[in-house]
Amino acid sequence: PERAYGHPASRISATLIGLLEAEELVLEDADDVASAAVAYGSSVADFADHMIAAAAVRAGRQTLYTFDRTAARHNAVTLLVK
């Protein structure tokens, strides 16, 4: 499905991964960006949701809790309300 900026998530994901591979750029938390970009390419959750989940995992949290039903579709996120 089309996502932000009128492009499918897979294309946005590939673009982000390409930016990570550029020697001219240094991205903060590049490992989180890479993890989020890969997950975003095949997910209904937003890229920001994947970034938050990646940061939680990096911080040693096994589960991230949310009220956001879409974000809760990420395997490291648990929905608080059903």
Side-chain angles (χ1 to χ4, degrees), residues 18-27:
L19 288 171
L20 285 165
E21 294 171 351
E23 292 181 16
E24 300 83 8
L25 296 176
V26 176
L27 297 177

Side-chain angles (χ1 to χ4, degrees), residues 7-22 25 27 37:
H7 297 283
S10 58
R11 184 171 182 183
I12 295 169
S13 173
T15 301
L16 289 169
I17 291 167
L19 288 171
L20 285 165
E21 294 171 351
L25 296 176
L27 297 177

